[in-house]
Amino acid sequence: MEIPGSERAQFIQYTFDAKLGFEGKDVVIKEAGDNTFDVAIPEFKFIGYDRPEYRVVVEQNGALSFGTQQIDTLDMVNNILTDKAKKEYVDSNRDILEEQAKSFYTSIVQSVSPDTKLNFTFQQAEGD
């Protein structure tokens, strides 16, 4: 039952450093002939995060909110990173992730064999 004046609201601002990448053991490199190799990069994933920071920006408590359960700010922060939000972080950084993967594998191969060419393919997440 909803009682007027017992409502609570809390708005938080949050930041964190997202860790995005792929499982290196799942990279497949195959010879394509003529000093060329095909490099298949697996799906990019949200791996984790560092340095989470949050602060309450606005808190609203109704006049009768003393009888209402407190809002758990830490629980709110933990619920921010849903699977959908993680996918959005990966999708919004896809171009950078692809360039970093190309640069990483190209620098390794060309340090040993400068004339070797690499062709890259990137696996997309299901539903993309």
Side-chain angles (χ1 to χ4, degrees):
M1 179 166 91
E2 204 171 304
I3 300 172
S6 65
E7 65 278 344
R8 288 183 186 268
Q10 193 175 71
F11 300 92
I12 60 172
Q13 177 182 25
Y14 66 95
T15 61
F16 57 87
D17 294 336
K19 295 180 182 183
L20 309 174
F22 56 87
E23 189 66 56
K25 69 178 178 60
D26 294 334
V27 173
V28 176
I29 301 174
K30 292 183 179 177
E31 190 171 1
D34 198 26
N35 205 26
T36 302
F37 292 85
D38 293 332
V39 181
I41 305 293
E43 175 184 341
F44 291 111
K45 297 180 179 186
F46 188 98
I47 298 168
Y49 62 92
D50 277 336
R51 301 191 324 213
E53 296 179 21
Y54 66 91
R55 66 183 181 98
V56 175
V57 178
V58 176
E59 189 167 20
Q60 297 173 344
N61 296 310
L64 301 175
S65 64
F66 61 86
T68 307
Q69 183 177 357
Q70 293 286 333
I71 295 173
D72 185 346
T73 304
L74 184 57
D75 188 46
M76 282 179 60
V77 170
N78 289 334
N79 287 326
I80 288 170
L81 285 176
T82 62
D83 287 342
K84 181 181 176 187
K86 290 176 183 178
K87 182 182 178 320
E88 288 172 2
Y89 279 107
V90 169
D91 290 347
S92 67
N93 288 285
R94 179 164 299 283
D95 291 343
I96 294 168
L97 292 167
E98 288 182 5
E99 285 305 314
Q100 287 177 342
K102 287 178 184 178
S103 176
F104 176 77
Y105 284 99
T106 300
S107 66
I108 290 172
V109 170
Q110 289 189 344
S111 69
V112 177
S113 178
D115 297 330
T116 299
K117 302 288 185 245
L118 300 177
N119 299 318
F120 291 90
T121 57
F122 295 91
Q123 182 178 345
Q124 300 290 320
E126 290 183 25
D128 283 354

